[in-house]
Amino acid sequence: MAVLSFIGTASIIGGGVYAYTQRDAIADNVRERITEELAKALPDMIVGAVGGMGMGEDLAPELPAAPAADTPVAIPVLPF
């Protein structure tokens, strides 16, 4: 039983020492993978954000026609 406990404790300590000594390499590996995934995903996200292949043409609503010069304009009245 004591041998199993020693092996378990030694493996935990060994894993911690390995992670501590290799932390720069591990961080670089993670940074590289994140950069690759973002490089793949960003073009699709940008195109989706601006409205597809029309590049945003379908996002802007139609502007209303300007009223004719002789059309009276209603002035809003305050309720009190």
Side-chain angles (χ1 to χ4, degrees):
M1 189 74 153
V3 173
L4 291 176
S5 178
F6 175 76
I7 291 172
T9 304
S11 64
I12 291 172
I13 292 172
V17 169
Y18 174 78
Y20 182 76
T21 58
Q22 299 296 321
R23 68 182 184 274
D24 293 331
I26 294 170
D28 289 340
N29 189 10
V30 170
R31 189 178 302 118
E32 184 177 308
R33 287 185 182 184
I34 290 173
T35 304
E36 288 174 4
E37 292 300 319
L38 283 176
K40 291 178 192 175
L42 277 177
D44 295 334
M45 292 170 69
I46 291 171
V47 169
V50 295
M53 298 306 288
M55 297 303 287
E57 293 172 4
D58 56 344
L59 291 179
E62 293 289 326
L63 293 176
D70 58 349
T71 305
V73 177
I75 298 175
V77 179
L78 295 175
F80 35 92

